[in-house]
């Protein structure tokens, strides 16, 4: 279940600590599937990313160029992104 935290809440630090230390569910099938995907991408690179993206995201990518967004589209999206989100992403990075 998603948890929504807001830095301005008085119990933010306590809730963040609780979330970070909580034991998360362990699904061996999901772990195995993730490992297989990572191994496939390491072995086959863009070809695996394209195949998996088409499968999971129902797109129709054909080449590595299809994975790239034009710089103009990235700039447009960045211009529409609220500053607090940009700040949070910079902090997370």
């Amino acid at each position: 279940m998603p948890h929504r935290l807001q830095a301005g809440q008085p119990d933010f630090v306590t809730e963040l600590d609780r979330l970070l230390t909580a034991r998360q569910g362990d699904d061996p099938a999901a772990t195995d599937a993730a490992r297989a995907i990572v191994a496939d991408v390491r072995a086959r690179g863009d070809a695996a990313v394209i195949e998996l993206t088409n499968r999971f995201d129902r797109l129709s990518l054909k080449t590595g160029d299809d994975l790239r967004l034009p710089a103009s589209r990235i700039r447009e999206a960045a211009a529409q992104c609220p500053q607090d989100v940009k700040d949070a992403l910079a902090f997370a990075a």
Side-chain angles (χ1 to χ4, degrees), residues 1-22 24 84 88 91:
M1 173 191 265
H3 297 278
R4 185 174 180 101
L5 298 176
Q6 293 184 351
Q9 294 177 323
D11 62 344
F12 173 75
V13 174
T14 302
E15 286 299 305
L16 178 61
D17 186 52
R18 185 184 64 75
L19 179 64
L20 294 175
T21 58
Q24 302 297 317
D84 62 328
F91 179 76

Side-chain angles (χ1 to χ4, degrees), residues 33-88:
R35 283 189 177 125
I37 288 170
V38 170
D40 191 23
V41 171
R42 283 184 176 150
R44 298 189 309 125
D46 282 357
V49 172
I50 290 167
E51 180 182 309
L52 293 163
T53 299
N54 290 344
R55 178 173 150 204
F56 292 123
D57 298 326
R58 298 184 183 120
L59 296 176
S60 57
L61 306 178
K62 295 185 181 16
T63 70
D65 288 338
D66 294 334
L67 297 172
R68 293 172 187 83
L69 290 174
S72 60
R73 189 160 170 208
I74 295 170
R75 281 192 300 274
E76 287 173 19
Q80 294 175 12
C81 185
Q83 188 60 46
D84 62 328
V85 173
K86 291 180 193 177
D87 292 344

